Amino acid sequence: MVEFDIVAKAMQSRRSVRGFLPKPVDIDTINKILSVASYAPSGSNIQPWQVHVVMGKRRDELSNLLLGAFNKQEPSTREYEYYPVRWRTPYIERRRESGWGLYQTLGIKKGDRQASSEQHGMNFKFFGAPVVLIFTIDSDLEKGSWLDYGMFLQNIMVAARGCGLHTCPQAAVANYPQVIKRYLGIGEEQVVVCAISLGYEDPDCAANQFRASRVAVDDFAKFYV
C-alpha cells in the first residue's frame, strides 16, 4: 500500500494553481515530466499529442499577444466546443460553485465585471508561471484520440507534483488559436487543445487558497457485484 499512498498523494495534491513564483524550471525537469507522461495509453499506440514548450522571452511575447487579444475583446475563434452548448443540472450548479467559490476567495463580488475580467485575463499571463505548455492535435483525429490526450495531460500534472511543481490546465488560451499558431509557426492542420501553466506555487497568492469540491464516489459510480 506504500506505492498506492505515494501515487494517491500526487493525484490528490494536484489542483489548478493560479499564482506561481518567478523561479525558473529546469529544462531537464520538463523533459523528465514529458518523458514519464508519454507512457499514457493511446488507441493502437498512435500517441496523438504534440507539445510546444514556451519559456523565457518567447513565453512573455506569447503572453502579451494573447492578453492583447483578450483586452481588445477579440471574438473567440476556438476550434472545438469545450463546454456544453446548453448547461443543465448537475453541471451548471457545479460550475457556479467552482466559479463563485474562487471569486469569493478573491473578494470579487457578483456583478463586478471589471474585477472578474481582470481575473480571467490572468489566464493569458499564465498566472505568472515561467513555463507554458501548449498542446495541439491533428485536426483529422477523432474522439478516441482526444480521450487519449486527456490521459496524457493528467500524467503531466501528476508527474509535475512528483517534481515538487504545480500546474494549471487552461482551456481559455484555445480561444485564440490563430494568435498561438502564428507566433509559434504551428500549421493549420493542427487544433489547439489547451495549455498547462507549469511552475512553483506562490503560497501567498490568494487564489491558491481556494479548493474545489469533489463529488463523492457514491454519486458517480455504480457497483455491479
Side-chain angles (χ1 to χ4, degrees), residues 19-223:
F20 292 86
L21 296 171
K23 180 179 178 180
V25 179
D26 186 77
I27 289 180
D28 289 340
T29 299
I30 300 172
N31 270 312
K32 179 168 66 175
I33 290 171
L34 294 176
S35 177
V36 170
S38 72
Y39 283 83
S42 61
S44 296
N45 198 36
I46 67 171
Q47 304 172 66
W49 35 81
Q50 297 190 43
V51 188
H52 311 266
V53 182
V54 190
M55 308 168 64
K57 180 181 178 182
R58 300 298 298 276
R59 174 251 182 239
D60 295 344
E61 290 175 347
L62 179 60
S63 173
N64 288 335
L65 290 170
L66 289 169
L67 189 61
F70 173 75
N71 287 336
K72 292 175 184 175
Q73 297 183 339
E74 293 184 9
S76 170
T77 56
R78 177 181 291 276
E79 299 167 295
Y80 70 98
E81 293 290 345
Y82 183 84
Y83 288 110
V85 176
R86 291 185 178 86
W87 287 93
R88 61 176 175 82
T89 298
Y91 309 112
I92 184 62
E93 288 84 5
R94 293 174 186 171
R95 183 192 193 197
R96 287 170 177 164
E97 177 189 5
S98 177
W100 286 116
L102 173 62
Y103 281 11
Q104 287 173 0
T105 300
L106 295 172
I108 299 175
K109 297 180 180 179
K110 289 185 178 181
D112 189 341
R113 294 185 178 181
Q114 180 176 349
S116 297
S117 179
E118 289 175 357
Q119 178 58 32
H120 187 65
M122 291 297 293
N123 278 283
F124 308 109
K125 295 181 179 181
F126 311 125
F127 300 105
V131 181
V132 60
L133 310 176
I134 303 291
F135 300 93
T136 62
I137 188 172
D138 290 354
S139 60
D140 60 344
L141 294 180
E142 298 293 346
K143 289 182 179 179
S145 293
W146 287 72
L147 293 173
D148 298 338
Y149 218 126
M151 292 183 277
F152 173 66
L153 295 173
Q154 175 74 355
N155 271 6
I156 289 175
M157 292 183 280
V158 173
R161 292 301 302 121
C163 295
L165 299 166
H166 272 285
T167 56
C168 186
Q170 297 173 242
V173 300
N175 287 351
Y176 306 111
Q178 294 306 318
V179 172
I180 294 171
K181 290 180 182 181
R182 281 195 300 267
Y183 182 70
L184 297 181
I186 299 171
E188 285 303 314
E189 75 283 357
Q190 293 287 298
V191 173
V192 176
V193 178
C194 66
I196 288 180
S197 291
L198 173 71
Y200 294 92
E201 178 187 11
D202 180 356
D204 296 324
C205 176
N208 291 338
Q209 310 311 310
F210 173 69
R211 296 293 184 275
S213 65
R214 287 293 179 265
V215 176
V217 173
D218 287 345
D219 290 334
F220 66 79
K222 294 181 180 180
F223 294 81

